Amino acid sequence: MKLHYGTRLMLGATYVIRTAISRIIPLSILTGLFLFCHFSAKGENVRAIVDSCKVALRVQHTNAQYIEADLLIADAYAEFFHTPDSCLIYANDAIKRIGKNTISKEYVRANVSMAKAYYVDRKPEKCVTLLDSIYTISKALNFSYGIYKALYYKSILYNDINEPDSAINFLMEALEVNKKAKDYTDLASAYNNIGELYFSRKQYKKALEYDFQSLQIWRKAEPARVSGILSDVGNCYFYLEQYDSALKYYNDAFANSNASNNTLGYAFSYNNIGLVYFKKGEYGKALNNYYTALNYYYKLGMLQGITNCLDNICKTYIAKKDYTNALKEANLALRYAFQLKDRGLAYIIYIDLSNVYAGKRDFEKAY
């Protein structure tokens, strides 16, 4: 079953918003920037908003504005669409405009986008090499964002290769960087990143310690945007099998999303509430929540969310022994998994299909 998370997806948005505010740039540029950030915070149609960014930014004529457009669009393709080739096109375009021999914060940001693309594209060697360069340059520039991002992505890579001690060391260093910079939103994200690492190691109580510290900061810094961390807290309780506590935090996440009109938060919350009802054996309520989440994911154009949600729906129909609907949803989920080129997710769905055919007593197809 797939829980959905709110915080990691939004890591880039706060920085982009601050960048927009700190620059004295034309209103049409600000409009484009805030439209882009809007889909992070409020979950509008991602592809349509990226297109509007391209229009709003590229009608301008200064080199700095072209660079900003490239960086924003590259981040969107890396973090939201998970399409590394498109990300690299725009990041490389930014670097060409900046100049390969010009070391600047924009140059660092372009390289961060490229590192994200290499990670999504499963090219860890290229990613590590680039992250080392980002770290060194950012230290020289005293650019906390670049240092933090280099450490954060290195922690993910080391966790992926089952070196949790190295991963946690990178995150602890990132935490200290953000403390010194007094960047409270990035500090909150750093605490949450540590919580995510412990969560991935199935140390859920330890994860809660850091998630609660992150939540405390977010409530002071940006109280309207805490739905993601509330979902993460709920996820810890879910895996601790404390389903009533999980449901409380998922409902709190939904309420926060409702207060800020956060469509992405709606999708996460409905999906996760569905999971609790599935565990409680209330399959009708589970399906109602899943299908509501699925509609939001379609509106957002988020293939990853759509695929995971369809997989949850399929599993629920299997539990209900409704193999006809289970087969329909599994085949649709598999199609999207292929579009994403996500072999891990496709493998999970194939297992679902095997269970469907076994339930239908079609053992030849099941095995």
Side-chain angles (χ1 to χ4, degrees):
M1 305 299 283
K2 290 286 182 178
L3 290 161
H4 291 186
Y5 311 91
T7 47
R8 182 174 291 182
L9 283 171
M10 297 181 187
L11 286 175
T14 302
Y15 177 78
V16 175
I17 291 170
R18 287 200 305 273
T19 302
I21 292 171
S22 66
R23 292 167 183 252
I24 301 173
I25 51 182
L27 182 60
S28 60
I29 299 292
L30 272 175
T31 301
L33 290 167
F34 276 99
L35 278 171
F36 180 85
C37 299
H38 188 73
F39 81 77
S40 299
K42 303 211 172 187
E44 301 300 329
N45 185 290
V46 179
R47 196 170 299 278
I49 290 173
V50 169
D51 288 342
S52 72
C53 282
K54 292 178 183 178
V55 173
L57 289 166
R58 291 190 180 279
V59 293
Q60 306 301 319
H61 302 290
T62 71
N63 196 49
Q65 290 160 353
Y66 280 119
I67 290 167
E68 193 65 35
D70 285 325
L71 294 176
L72 291 170
I73 297 164
D75 267 347
Y77 280 121
E79 291 198 30
F80 294 87
F81 297 132
H82 295 276
T83 50
D85 292 343
S86 297
C87 171
L88 289 172
I89 289 169
Y90 284 96
N92 277 314
D93 190 53
I95 288 173
K96 286 178 186 176
R97 294 181 186 281
I98 294 164
K100 291 186 178 180
N101 297 321
T102 304
I103 304 303
S104 64
K105 292 180 179 180
E106 286 74 19
Y107 179 84
V108 170
R109 288 175 57 203
N111 278 277
V112 168
S113 292
M114 293 178 74
K116 293 174 190 174
Y118 289 136
Y119 177 76
V120 172
D121 207 23
R122 295 181 175 85
K123 294 179 179 176
E125 295 84 4
K126 283 189 174 182
C127 187
V128 168
T129 300
L130 194 52
L131 290 172
D132 286 339
S133 174
I134 290 167
Y135 181 82
T136 301
I137 294 169
S138 297
K139 289 279 278 189
L141 293 173
N142 195 27
F143 187 29
S144 61
Y145 169 84
I147 299 169
Y148 166 49
K149 288 295 186 182
L151 293 167
Y152 169 63
Y153 280 102
K154 285 184 81 170
S155 75
I156 295 175
L157 286 166
Y158 275 84
N159 193 49
D160 287 349
I161 61 173
N162 202 31
E163 292 190 24
D165 291 341
S166 296
I168 199 68
N169 287 339
F170 286 126
L171 286 179
M172 290 300 183
E173 185 180 348
L175 188 67
E176 292 305 313
V177 167
N178 289 325
K179 282 181 179 178
K180 289 178 182 177
K182 295 183 179 179
D183 189 323
Y184 295 108
T185 53
D186 278 351
L187 179 61
S189 295
Y191 276 117
N192 182 237
N193 296 154
I194 297 170
E196 285 179 343
L197 189 144
Y198 282 119
F199 182 91
S200 72
R201 311 305 299 181
K202 299 182 180 180
Q203 298 180 41
Y204 305 122
K205 290 183 179 179
K206 194 74 174 175
L208 276 173
E209 292 177 20
Y210 287 93
D211 282 346
F212 278 128
Q213 290 185 77
S214 177
L215 179 59
Q216 185 177 10
I217 297 170
W218 274 117
R219 277 181 164 154
K220 290 179 180 178
E222 295 190 48
R225 294 182 57 203
V226 296
S227 62
I229 185 64
L230 288 167
S231 292
D232 288 346
V233 171
N235 293 342
C236 290
Y237 282 119
F238 181 88
Y239 277 103
L240 287 168
E241 299 183 0
Q242 297 180 27
Y243 298 123
D244 289 338
S245 293
L247 189 59
K248 174 190 179 300
Y249 278 96
Y250 291 153
N251 280 322
D252 286 349
F254 176 83
N256 183 262
S257 299
N258 192 44
S260 57
N261 195 26
N262 180 347
T263 308
L264 186 59
Y266 291 153
F268 290 148
S269 298
Y270 277 116
N271 176 80
N272 293 340
I273 290 168
L275 285 169
V276 173
Y277 284 123
F278 178 88
K279 285 293 186 180
K280 288 173 170 281
E282 298 182 46
Y283 301 131
K285 287 184 179 180
L287 286 171
N288 286 340
N289 281 279
Y290 289 149
Y291 276 118
T292 304
L294 185 63
N295 286 334
Y296 282 118
Y297 282 125
Y298 276 123
K299 288 178 183 177
L300 293 164
M302 291 185 67
L303 286 185
Q304 190 78 44
I306 291 167
T307 311
N308 289 337
C309 206
L310 285 168
D311 179 57
N312 288 341
I313 291 168
C314 172
K315 284 180 167 64
T316 308
Y317 279 126
I318 291 172
K320 286 169 62 69
K321 299 184 179 180
D322 181 349
Y323 300 115
T324 301
N325 279 314
L327 183 60
K328 182 184 75 173
E329 304 295 6
N331 282 325
L332 186 56
L334 191 62
R335 191 179 80 190
Y336 287 124
F338 285 145
Q339 280 185 246
L340 287 165
K341 299 179 182 179
D342 191 327
R343 293 180 181 178
L345 189 50
Y347 173 77
I348 291 169
I349 297 165
Y350 274 123
I351 292 174
D352 290 341
L353 282 167
S354 177
N355 290 330
V356 169
Y357 286 120
K360 291 167 71 74
R361 313 295 289 176
D362 189 343
F363 297 113
E364 184 176 347
K365 286 186 178 179
Y367 300 108

